[in-house]
Amino acid sequence: MADLKDIISHFNVTGTVTGITPFGSGLINDTYKVSTREDGCPDYILQRINHNIFQNVDMLQSNIEAVTGHIRKKLENAGEKDIDRKVLHFIGTPDGKTYCRSDGEWWRMMVFIPNAHTYETVNPKFSYYAGKAFGNFQSMLSDLDKPLGETIPDFHNMEFRLKQFHDALDSNPAGRADEVKYYIDEIEKRSGEMCKAERLHREGLLPKRICHCDTKVNNMMFDDNGDVLCVIDLDTVMPSYIFSDYGDFLRTGANTGAEDDRNLDNVNFDMEIFEAFTKGYLESAGSFLLPVEIENLPYAAALFPYMQCVRFLTDYLNGDTYYKIQYPEHNLVRTKAQFKLLRSVEENTDRMRGYIDNVTENKFADK
Ligand code: GN1
Ligand code: MG
Protein backbone atom coordinates (compact mmCIF):
# COMPACT_ATOMS: atom_id res chain seq x y z
CA MET A 1 0.00 0.00 0.00
CA ALA A 2 1.43 3.38 -1.03
CA ASP A 3 2.15 5.99 1.62
CA LEU A 4 -0.63 8.38 0.64
CA LYS A 5 0.68 11.26 2.76
CA ASP A 6 3.98 11.02 0.96
CA ILE A 7 2.22 11.05 -2.43
CA ILE A 8 0.30 14.18 -1.43
CA SER A 9 3.56 15.92 -0.56
CA HIS A 10 4.47 15.76 -4.29
CA PHE A 11 1.67 18.26 -5.06
CA ASN A 12 1.31 21.99 -4.37
CA VAL A 13 -1.46 21.58 -1.80
CA THR A 14 -2.21 24.05 0.96
CA GLY A 15 -3.35 23.17 4.47
CA THR A 16 -2.69 20.38 6.95
CA VAL A 17 -3.97 16.97 5.96
CA THR A 18 -6.26 15.52 8.65
CA GLY A 19 -7.75 12.54 6.86
CA ILE A 20 -7.52 10.37 3.74
CA THR A 21 -10.51 8.11 3.07
CA PRO A 22 -11.61 5.97 0.09
CA PHE A 23 -14.17 7.79 -2.02
CA GLY A 24 -16.70 7.10 -4.79
CA SER A 25 -17.72 3.98 -6.68
CA GLY A 26 -15.59 3.97 -9.87
CA LEU A 27 -14.57 0.61 -11.30
CA ILE A 28 -11.19 1.68 -12.66
CA ASN A 29 -9.13 4.18 -10.64
CA ASP A 30 -8.65 4.30 -6.83
CA THR A 31 -10.06 7.50 -5.40
CA TYR A 32 -9.57 9.11 -1.97
CA LYS A 33 -10.88 12.20 -0.30
CA VAL A 34 -8.18 14.24 1.43
CA SER A 35 -9.45 16.50 4.21
CA THR A 36 -7.53 19.53 5.47
CA ARG A 37 -7.86 21.31 8.79
CA GLU A 38 -7.78 25.02 7.94
CA ASP A 39 -10.97 26.85 6.99
CA GLY A 40 -9.50 28.70 4.01
CA CYS A 41 -7.96 25.55 2.47
CA PRO A 42 -9.90 23.28 0.15
CA ASP A 43 -10.23 19.54 0.63
CA TYR A 44 -8.91 17.45 -2.23
CA ILE A 45 -9.47 14.33 -4.29
CA LEU A 46 -6.44 12.08 -4.71
CA GLN A 47 -6.49 9.45 -7.44
CA ARG A 48 -4.25 6.59 -8.38
CA ILE A 49 -4.52 6.37 -12.15
CA ASN A 50 -5.04 2.82 -13.39
CA HIS A 51 -1.92 2.64 -15.48
CA ASN A 52 -2.75 -0.78 -16.91
CA ILE A 53 -5.78 0.72 -18.57
CA PHE A 54 -4.51 4.24 -19.26
CA GLN A 55 -1.09 3.43 -20.64
CA ASN A 56 -0.23 6.89 -21.86
CA VAL A 57 -0.57 9.06 -18.77
CA ASP A 58 1.07 12.05 -20.51
CA MET A 59 -1.66 11.98 -23.17
CA LEU A 60 -4.34 11.36 -20.57
CA GLN A 61 -3.45 14.40 -18.50
CA SER A 62 -2.73 16.57 -21.50
CA ASN A 63 -6.27 15.83 -22.81
CA ILE A 64 -7.76 16.63 -19.43
CA GLU A 65 -5.77 19.86 -19.12
CA ALA A 66 -6.91 20.96 -22.58
CA VAL A 67 -10.54 20.18 -21.83
CA THR A 68 -10.72 21.76 -18.38
CA GLY A 69 -8.71 24.80 -19.56
CA HIS A 70 -11.06 25.32 -22.50
CA ILE A 71 -14.21 25.01 -20.40
CA ARG A 72 -12.77 27.27 -17.69
CA LYS A 73 -12.07 29.98 -20.28
CA LYS A 74 -15.61 29.71 -21.63
CA LEU A 75 -17.09 30.01 -18.16
CA GLU A 76 -14.89 33.03 -17.40
CA ASN A 77 -15.88 34.73 -20.65
CA ALA A 78 -19.52 34.10 -19.85
CA GLY A 79 -19.02 35.86 -16.50
CA GLU A 80 -19.86 32.72 -14.49
CA LYS A 81 -19.18 32.74 -10.74
CA ASP A 82 -17.98 29.90 -8.56
CA ILE A 83 -15.96 28.45 -11.44
CA ASP A 84 -14.00 25.97 -9.30
CA ARG A 85 -17.27 24.14 -8.69
CA LYS A 86 -18.17 24.08 -12.39
CA VAL A 87 -15.01 22.64 -13.85
CA LEU A 88 -12.40 20.38 -12.28
CA HIS A 89 -9.29 22.10 -10.95
CA PHE A 90 -6.17 19.91 -11.00
CA ILE A 91 -3.31 20.57 -8.59
CA GLY A 92 0.15 21.15 -10.02
CA THR A 93 3.45 19.67 -8.94
CA PRO A 94 6.63 21.70 -8.40
CA ASP A 95 7.84 20.67 -11.87
CA GLY A 96 4.72 22.05 -13.55
CA LYS A 97 2.81 18.83 -14.20
CA THR A 98 -0.67 17.75 -13.07
CA TYR A 99 0.41 14.27 -12.03
CA CYS A 100 3.32 12.51 -10.40
CA ARG A 101 4.89 9.11 -10.48
CA SER A 102 5.87 7.29 -7.34
CA ASP A 103 7.03 3.66 -7.03
CA GLY A 104 5.82 2.91 -10.56
CA GLU A 105 2.33 4.25 -9.88
CA TRP A 106 0.73 7.40 -11.22
CA TRP A 107 -1.20 9.88 -9.11
CA ARG A 108 -3.09 13.14 -9.53
CA MET A 109 -4.98 15.51 -7.28
CA MET A 110 -7.85 17.91 -7.75
CA VAL A 111 -9.82 20.31 -5.60
CA PHE A 112 -12.74 18.62 -3.86
CA ILE A 113 -16.01 20.33 -4.83
CA PRO A 114 -17.88 21.14 -1.61
CA ASN A 115 -21.67 20.74 -1.20
CA ALA A 116 -21.90 18.69 -4.36
CA HIS A 117 -23.47 15.30 -4.84
CA THR A 118 -23.42 12.44 -7.27
CA TYR A 119 -26.31 10.02 -7.61
CA GLU A 120 -26.60 6.41 -8.67
CA THR A 121 -30.19 6.99 -9.79
CA VAL A 122 -31.99 10.05 -11.13
CA ASN A 123 -35.59 11.20 -11.47
CA PRO A 124 -36.93 12.66 -14.75
CA LYS A 125 -36.24 16.25 -13.69
CA PHE A 126 -32.55 15.50 -13.00
CA SER A 127 -32.28 13.54 -16.25
CA TYR A 128 -33.52 16.53 -18.18
CA TYR A 129 -30.76 18.65 -16.58
CA ALA A 130 -28.24 15.89 -17.22
CA GLY A 131 -29.26 15.76 -20.89
CA LYS A 132 -28.76 19.49 -21.18
CA ALA A 133 -25.43 19.29 -19.36
CA PHE A 134 -23.93 16.53 -21.50
CA GLY A 135 -25.14 18.26 -24.68
CA ASN A 136 -23.62 21.45 -23.38
CA PHE A 137 -20.36 19.69 -22.58
CA GLN A 138 -20.10 18.46 -26.18
CA SER A 139 -21.10 21.86 -27.47
CA MET A 140 -18.51 23.73 -25.34
CA LEU A 141 -15.79 21.44 -26.66
CA SER A 142 -16.86 21.66 -30.30
CA ASP A 143 -14.38 24.50 -30.94
CA LEU A 144 -11.43 23.08 -29.00
CA ASP A 145 -8.51 23.60 -31.38
CA LYS A 146 -6.10 21.15 -29.74
CA PRO A 147 -6.61 17.65 -31.15
CA LEU A 148 -7.22 15.13 -28.38
CA GLY A 149 -5.64 11.69 -28.35
CA GLU A 150 -7.58 8.47 -27.80
CA THR A 151 -6.67 7.66 -24.20
CA ILE A 152 -7.94 4.13 -24.73
CA PRO A 153 -7.66 3.37 -28.44
CA ASP A 154 -10.91 2.05 -29.97
CA PHE A 155 -12.66 2.57 -26.65
CA HIS A 156 -16.23 2.58 -28.01
CA ASN A 157 -15.50 0.83 -31.28
CA MET A 158 -18.02 -2.02 -31.33
CA GLU A 159 -16.09 -4.00 -33.94
CA PHE A 160 -13.02 -3.88 -31.72
CA ARG A 161 -15.00 -4.89 -28.61
CA LEU A 162 -16.41 -7.87 -30.51
CA LYS A 163 -12.91 -8.80 -31.61
CA GLN A 164 -11.78 -8.81 -27.97
CA PHE A 165 -14.82 -10.94 -27.16
CA HIS A 166 -13.98 -13.44 -29.90
CA ASP A 167 -10.35 -13.56 -28.78
CA ALA A 168 -11.50 -14.33 -25.24
CA LEU A 169 -13.81 -17.05 -26.57
CA ASP A 170 -11.01 -18.59 -28.62
CA SER A 171 -8.46 -18.66 -25.83
CA ASN A 172 -11.05 -19.24 -23.05
CA PRO A 173 -8.40 -18.67 -20.36
CA ALA A 174 -10.73 -19.13 -17.38
CA GLY A 175 -12.59 -22.09 -18.91
CA ARG A 176 -15.92 -20.29 -18.62
CA ALA A 177 -17.10 -20.24 -22.24
CA ASP A 178 -19.38 -23.30 -22.01
CA GLU A 179 -21.51 -21.96 -19.21
CA VAL A 180 -22.38 -18.72 -21.04
CA LYS A 181 -23.48 -20.17 -24.36
CA TYR A 182 -26.89 -18.48 -24.27
CA TYR A 183 -25.31 -15.02 -23.96
CA ILE A 184 -22.73 -15.76 -26.64
CA ASP A 185 -25.53 -16.60 -29.09
CA GLU A 186 -27.56 -13.53 -28.18
CA ILE A 187 -24.49 -11.33 -28.69
CA GLU A 188 -23.70 -12.90 -32.06
CA LYS A 189 -27.27 -12.44 -33.32
CA ARG A 190 -27.03 -8.70 -32.92
CA SER A 191 -23.40 -8.14 -33.89
CA GLY A 192 -24.00 -6.94 -37.47
CA GLU A 193 -26.61 -4.38 -36.52
CA MET A 194 -24.63 -3.14 -33.55
CA CYS A 195 -21.57 -2.30 -35.67
CA LYS A 196 -23.61 0.18 -37.70
CA ALA A 197 -21.79 3.23 -36.30
CA GLU A 198 -18.44 2.00 -37.55
CA ARG A 199 -19.91 1.39 -41.00
CA LEU A 200 -21.51 4.82 -41.17
CA HIS A 201 -18.19 6.36 -40.12
CA ARG A 202 -16.26 4.48 -42.79
CA GLU A 203 -18.77 5.67 -45.38
CA GLY A 204 -18.05 9.24 -44.30
CA LEU A 205 -21.59 9.74 -42.99
CA LEU A 206 -20.99 9.83 -39.25
CA PRO A 207 -18.46 12.21 -37.68
CA LYS A 208 -16.47 11.83 -34.50
CA ARG A 209 -16.76 14.71 -32.06
CA ILE A 210 -15.21 15.29 -28.68
CA CYS A 211 -17.26 13.28 -26.25
CA HIS A 212 -17.05 12.42 -22.58
CA CYS A 213 -17.34 8.66 -23.20
CA ASP A 214 -18.24 7.70 -19.64
CA THR A 215 -21.52 9.52 -19.04
CA LYS A 216 -22.60 7.20 -16.29
CA VAL A 217 -25.15 8.97 -14.19
CA ASN A 218 -22.72 9.09 -11.26
CA ASN A 219 -20.20 11.09 -13.29
CA MET A 220 -22.23 14.27 -12.94
CA MET A 221 -22.19 16.60 -9.94
CA PHE A 222 -25.29 18.36 -8.69
CA ASP A 223 -25.45 21.13 -6.09
CA ASP A 224 -27.76 21.21 -3.06
CA ASN A 225 -30.60 22.59 -5.21
CA GLY A 226 -30.34 19.81 -7.77
CA ASP A 227 -28.70 22.01 -10.39
CA VAL A 228 -25.90 20.48 -12.43
CA LEU A 229 -22.47 21.80 -11.44
CA CYS A 230 -20.13 19.89 -13.70
CA VAL A 231 -19.19 16.70 -15.39
CA ILE A 232 -16.42 14.67 -13.77
CA ASP A 233 -14.27 11.61 -14.55
CA LEU A 234 -12.66 13.05 -17.66
CA ASP A 235 -10.22 10.21 -18.40
CA THR A 236 -12.09 9.07 -21.44
CA VAL A 237 -12.83 12.44 -23.04
CA MET A 238 -11.83 11.82 -26.63
CA PRO A 239 -13.15 11.82 -30.19
CA SER A 240 -16.11 9.46 -30.52
CA TYR A 241 -19.63 9.29 -31.92
CA ILE A 242 -22.14 11.34 -29.96
CA PHE A 243 -23.89 7.99 -29.37
CA SER A 244 -21.34 7.37 -26.64
CA ASP A 245 -22.59 10.10 -24.35
CA TYR A 246 -26.23 9.76 -25.17
CA GLY A 247 -26.24 5.98 -24.91
CA ASP A 248 -24.12 5.54 -21.82
CA PHE A 249 -26.19 7.95 -19.78
CA LEU A 250 -29.39 6.08 -20.63
CA ARG A 251 -27.69 2.77 -19.91
CA THR A 252 -27.19 3.86 -16.33
CA GLY A 253 -29.78 6.61 -15.75
CA ALA A 254 -32.77 4.91 -17.38
CA ASN A 255 -32.10 1.51 -15.83
CA THR A 256 -34.76 0.90 -13.17
CA GLY A 257 -32.37 -1.53 -11.48
CA ALA A 258 -28.66 -1.55 -10.74
CA GLU A 259 -25.92 -2.14 -13.30
CA ASP A 260 -25.21 -5.40 -11.48
CA ASP A 261 -28.69 -6.24 -10.24
CA ARG A 262 -29.09 -9.92 -9.39
CA ASN A 263 -32.85 -9.58 -9.63
CA LEU A 264 -33.52 -9.14 -13.32
CA ASP A 265 -37.14 -8.18 -12.62
CA ASN A 266 -35.76 -4.91 -11.28
CA VAL A 267 -34.02 -4.15 -14.56
CA ASN A 268 -36.08 -2.31 -17.16
CA PHE A 269 -35.69 0.69 -19.42
CA ASP A 270 -37.51 3.68 -17.97
CA MET A 271 -39.18 5.62 -20.77
CA GLU A 272 -39.88 8.63 -18.57
CA ILE A 273 -36.16 9.06 -17.92
CA PHE A 274 -35.49 8.46 -21.60
CA GLU A 275 -37.91 11.22 -22.60
CA ALA A 276 -36.60 13.77 -20.11
CA PHE A 277 -32.95 13.11 -20.93
CA THR A 278 -33.58 13.15 -24.68
CA LYS A 279 -35.45 16.42 -24.45
CA GLY A 280 -32.62 18.07 -22.51
CA TYR A 281 -29.97 16.63 -24.80
CA LEU A 282 -31.72 17.74 -27.99
CA GLU A 283 -32.23 21.22 -26.55
CA SER A 284 -28.52 21.76 -25.98
CA ALA A 285 -27.01 19.60 -28.74
CA GLY A 286 -29.77 19.76 -31.36
CA SER A 287 -28.23 22.75 -33.09
CA PHE A 288 -25.06 20.91 -34.14
CA LEU A 289 -26.33 17.34 -34.53
CA LEU A 290 -26.69 15.92 -38.04
CA PRO A 291 -29.88 14.10 -39.07
CA VAL A 292 -27.97 10.80 -39.10
CA GLU A 293 -27.01 11.36 -35.46
CA ILE A 294 -30.55 12.20 -34.36
CA GLU A 295 -32.11 9.33 -36.32
CA ASN A 296 -29.81 6.86 -34.67
CA LEU A 297 -30.40 7.88 -31.06
CA PRO A 298 -32.59 4.79 -30.45
CA TYR A 299 -29.74 2.70 -31.87
CA ALA A 300 -27.39 4.41 -29.40
CA ALA A 301 -29.76 3.54 -26.54
CA ALA A 302 -29.41 -0.13 -27.48
CA LEU A 303 -25.72 -0.02 -28.39
CA PHE A 304 -24.46 0.80 -24.92
CA PRO A 305 -26.17 -1.94 -22.90
CA TYR A 306 -25.07 -4.25 -25.71
CA MET A 307 -21.46 -3.04 -25.65
CA GLN A 308 -21.33 -3.19 -21.86
CA CYS A 309 -22.77 -6.70 -21.94
CA VAL A 310 -20.00 -7.69 -24.38
CA ARG A 311 -17.33 -5.97 -22.26
CA PHE A 312 -18.47 -7.54 -18.97
CA LEU A 313 -18.76 -10.98 -20.54
CA THR A 314 -15.33 -10.62 -22.16
CA ASP A 315 -13.85 -9.80 -18.77
CA TYR A 316 -15.65 -12.77 -17.23
CA LEU A 317 -14.24 -15.04 -19.94
CA ASN A 318 -10.78 -13.59 -19.38
CA GLY A 319 -10.90 -14.33 -15.66
CA ASP A 320 -11.78 -10.81 -14.43
CA THR A 321 -8.69 -8.85 -15.36
CA TYR A 322 -10.25 -5.47 -16.18
CA TYR A 323 -13.15 -4.45 -13.92
CA LYS A 324 -12.95 -4.47 -10.16
CA ILE A 325 -15.18 -7.26 -8.88
CA GLN A 326 -16.70 -7.86 -5.46
CA TYR A 327 -17.40 -11.60 -5.84
CA PRO A 328 -16.32 -14.29 -8.32
CA GLU A 329 -19.31 -14.23 -10.68
CA HIS A 330 -19.75 -10.44 -10.51
CA ASN A 331 -18.97 -9.88 -14.19
CA LEU A 332 -21.49 -12.57 -15.17
CA VAL A 333 -24.17 -10.96 -13.01
CA ARG A 334 -23.36 -7.63 -14.69
CA THR A 335 -23.57 -9.26 -18.12
CA LYS A 336 -27.04 -10.67 -17.38
CA ALA A 337 -28.30 -7.36 -16.06
CA GLN A 338 -27.03 -5.47 -19.11
CA PHE A 339 -28.60 -8.03 -21.41
CA LYS A 340 -31.95 -7.72 -19.66
CA LEU A 341 -31.70 -3.95 -20.07
CA LEU A 342 -30.93 -4.36 -23.77
CA ARG A 343 -34.07 -6.49 -24.23
CA SER A 344 -36.14 -3.83 -22.55
CA VAL A 345 -34.61 -1.09 -24.75
CA GLU A 346 -35.40 -3.19 -27.83
CA GLU A 347 -39.04 -3.46 -26.80
CA ASN A 348 -39.23 0.33 -26.64
CA THR A 349 -37.59 1.18 -29.96
CA ASP A 350 -40.75 2.34 -31.74
CA ARG A 351 -41.84 4.48 -28.81
CA MET A 352 -38.38 6.07 -28.67
CA ARG A 353 -38.47 6.84 -32.35
CA GLY A 354 -41.93 8.37 -32.04
CA TYR A 355 -40.85 10.57 -29.15
CA ILE A 356 -37.72 11.83 -30.94
CA ASP A 357 -39.72 12.61 -34.10
CA ASN A 358 -42.15 14.56 -32.00
CA VAL A 359 -39.51 16.62 -30.21
CA THR A 360 -37.63 17.44 -33.41
CA GLU A 361 -40.81 18.32 -35.34
CA ASN A 362 -41.99 20.64 -32.58
CA LYS A 363 -38.61 22.28 -32.55
CA PHE A 364 -38.75 23.00 -36.25
CA ALA A 365 -42.37 24.15 -35.89
CA ASP A 366 -41.23 26.76 -33.32
CA LYS A 367 -38.79 28.31 -35.75
C1 GN1 B 1 -15.87 2.05 -16.13
O1 GN1 B 1 -14.49 4.08 -14.04
P1 GN1 B 1 -15.94 3.97 -14.23
O2 GN1 B 1 -16.53 3.01 -13.26
O3 GN1 B 1 -16.62 5.30 -14.25
C2 GN1 B 1 -15.49 2.03 -17.60
C3 GN1 B 1 -16.67 2.43 -18.46
C4 GN1 B 1 -17.77 1.45 -18.21
C5 GN1 B 1 -18.10 1.41 -16.72
C6 GN1 B 1 -19.12 0.36 -16.39
C7 GN1 B 1 -12.16 3.41 -18.57
O4 GN1 B 1 -16.19 3.36 -15.71
O5 GN1 B 1 -16.33 2.41 -19.81
O6 GN1 B 1 -18.91 1.81 -18.93
O7 GN1 B 1 -16.96 1.18 -15.92
N1 GN1 B 1 -14.36 2.91 -17.82
C8 GN1 B 1 -13.28 2.47 -18.48
O8 GN1 B 1 -19.66 0.62 -15.17
O9 GN1 B 1 -13.23 1.35 -18.97
MG1 MG C 1 -16.87 7.28 -12.58
Side-chain angles (χ1 to χ4, degrees):
M1 177 68 184
D3 176 350
L4 299 179
K5 274 206 161 163
D6 177 64
I7 306 286
I8 294 167
S9 71
H10 290 69
F11 291 88
N12 301 326
V13 296
T14 53
T16 317
V17 173
T18 52
I20 308 173
T21 44
F23 191 78
S25 59
L27 300 185
I28 305 292
N29 298 315
D30 294 329
T31 306
Y32 302 88
K33 179 177 177 197
V34 178
S35 311
T36 62
R37 175 174 306 128
E38 295 79 359
D39 272 350
C41 295
D43 291 339
Y44 299 94
I45 288 291
L46 169 69
Q47 258 182 342
R48 187 176 70 89
I49 300 170
N50 187 326
H51 181 234
N52 272 335
I53 293 179
F54 296 105
Q55 303 212 341
N56 186 342
V57 178
D58 275 329
M59 180 208 276
L60 175 74
Q61 286 302 112
S62 135
N63 274 5
I64 291 181
E65 285 166 31
V67 166
T68 52
H70 189 77
I71 294 180
R72 181 171 292 272
K73 222 180 290 154
K74 290 225 156 154
L75 295 174
E76 281 166 6
N77 291 343
E80 288 272 351
K81 306 216 165 53
D82 211 9
I83 290 181
D84 262 356
R85 297 177 74 220
K86 295 181 180 160
V87 59
L88 296 179
H89 175 169
F90 285 83
I91 308 301
T93 62
D95 56 355
K97 292 194 156 50
T98 56
Y99 56 94
C100 81
R101 187 166 189 191
S102 172
D103 286 334
E105 301 199 311
W106 302 79
W107 298 84
R108 65 184 166 206
M109 286 190 78
M110 59 204 107
V111 171
F112 176 81
I113 303 179
N115 307 320
H117 316 275
T118 57
Y119 298 98
E120 297 297 325
T121 56
V122 275
N123 60 26
K125 188 169 138 224
F126 278 28
S127 320
Y128 169 74
Y129 293 142
K132 277 196 102 129
F134 281 124
N136 234 336
F137 182 81
Q138 290 177 340
S139 162
M140 279 199 281
L141 294 173
S142 59
D143 60 346
L144 177 66
D145 43 16
K146 184 182 179 308
L148 298 188
E150 288 197 19
T151 50
I152 302 181
D154 292 315
F155 188 48
H156 281 168
N157 176 340
M158 196 60 242
E159 290 173 353
F160 172 74
R161 294 298 180 188
L162 281 166
K163 181 179 179 307
Q164 289 183 316
F165 171 63
H166 290 135
D167 288 349
L169 276 178
D170 288 346
S171 56
N172 195 13
R176 290 169 165 175
D178 283 347
E179 60 172 289
V180 295
K181 188 142 180 1
Y182 172 76
Y183 293 96
I184 298 173
D185 290 346
E186 292 296 325
I187 287 170
E188 299 295 6
K189 266 192 226 166
R190 294 164 174 83
S191 61
E193 160 67 8
M194 288 298 157
C195 292
K196 179 165 145 191
E198 298 306 323
R199 285 196 299 277
L200 288 170
H201 183 63
R202 266 196 299 276
E203 288 162 15
L205 300 173
L206 179 68
K208 287 195 179 183
R209 307 180 188 275
I210 297 177
C211 294
H212 182 278
C213 293
D214 189 11
T215 49
K216 277 165 60 162
V217 49
N218 62 13
N219 280 335
M220 172 150 293
M221 299 219 100
F222 294 87
D223 70 11
D224 289 336
N225 303 322
D227 289 325
V228 171
L229 282 170
C230 65
V231 167
I232 57 172
D233 205 349
L234 304 176
D235 295 325
T236 53
V237 176
M238 62 178 127
S240 188
Y241 314 122
I242 57 97
F243 304 156
S244 294
D245 291 357
Y246 180 80
D248 218 20
F249 178 87
L250 290 175
R251 181 184 72 79
T252 51
N255 183 351
T256 54
E259 181 178 69
D260 57 354
D261 222 306
R262 281 179 180 277
N263 181 354
L264 297 181
D265 291 339
N266 291 339
V267 177
N268 276 302
F269 188 65
D270 183 330
M271 281 299 288
E272 235 190 305
I273 300 281
F274 161 83
E275 289 181 3
F277 179 75
T278 301
K279 184 164 188 294
Y281 181 68
L282 287 174
E283 276 175 23
S284 57
S287 59
F288 64 82
L289 294 178
L290 299 173
V292 66
E293 294 174 308
I294 296 178
E295 267 159 38
N296 280 297
L297 292 178
Y299 156 74
L303 175 61
F304 279 81
Y306 176 80
M307 188 184 300
Q308 201 59 61
C309 178
V310 171
R311 292 178 66 194
F312 283 146
L313 188 56
T314 303
D315 200 31
Y316 184 68
L317 291 167
N318 281 334
D320 312 308
T321 57
Y322 188 92
Y323 292 109
K324 291 181 193 168
I325 52 166
Q326 276 143 24
Y327 50 89
E329 71 285 9
H330 202 163
N331 273 317
L332 181 58
V333 168
R334 289 167 170 154
T335 302
K336 292 180 179 175
Q338 292 299 296
F339 183 68
K340 168 69 199 296
L341 180 64
L342 171 65
R343 296 289 294 261
S344 178
V345 170
E346 288 171 344
E347 283 162 15
N348 281 293
T349 307
D350 291 342
R351 283 178 67 197
M352 284 193 267
R353 219 176 282 289
Y355 181 79
I356 291 168
D357 285 350
N358 239 328
V359 172
T360 44
E361 269 160 32
N362 288 340
K363 206 176 127 222
F364 294 127
D366 287 350
K367 279 188 180 162

